[in-house]
Amino acid sequence: MTSQHGQQLEQALSEARMAIVIEYCPPAHADADAVRAMAASVRGKADAVGVVDNHLEIMMSAIATAALLRSEGVEPIVHITTRDRNRIALISDVLGARALGLRNFLC
């Protein structure tokens, strides 16, 4: 069963089936091709990809990474670590992510 672009996770959950989510740590450099290669390797194999937000080191922005994944046909879940941002920064990040078409967040 083929789902619409960017709605794989929603479809899995609405069908009450187990959703397959892969966790991804963005690169520690600004290489968009590395993100595109990862997207190509998981496209069609997972319902969504959770994008880690500066887990153990400084990495590419989770929002930027998620936008790249979305443009490659992979549904992202943006992880937002609250420890590094105040309330204003958190709201700003979520508003910016929504403007980019991102709709799944894990805080």
Side-chain angles (χ1 to χ4, degrees):
M1 184 173 212
T2 304
S3 61
Q4 295 179 0
H5 172 73
Q7 295 182 347
Q8 299 93 326
L9 181 60
E10 180 180 358
Q11 184 175 356
L13 297 176
S14 69
E15 293 173 355
R17 66 178 171 85
M18 184 185 322
I20 298 173
V21 178
I22 296 169
E23 185 172 87
Y24 177 58
C25 292
H29 45 76
D31 184 5
D33 288 337
V35 178
R36 289 184 187 103
M38 184 282 205
S41 72
V42 302
R43 189 180 305 110
K45 298 176 184 167
D47 296 302
V49 173
V51 183
V52 176
D53 183 25
N54 293 316
H55 177 62
L56 297 174
E57 62 181 333
I58 296 173
M59 309 173 177
M60 184 186 297
S61 159
I63 293 171
T65 302
L68 286 167
L69 290 173
R70 184 176 179 275
S71 73
E72 294 295 313
V74 173
E75 184 169 7
I77 301 171
V78 181
H79 294 201
I80 298 177
T81 304
T82 58
R83 71 161 187 261
D84 299 325
R85 296 174 182 87
N86 64 22
R87 180 181 53 85
I88 293 169
L90 290 166
I91 293 169
S92 177
D93 282 349
V94 171
L95 290 173
R98 284 295 296 139
L100 292 170
L102 304 173
R103 54 193 215 127
N104 302 310
F105 301 92
L106 175 64
C107 297

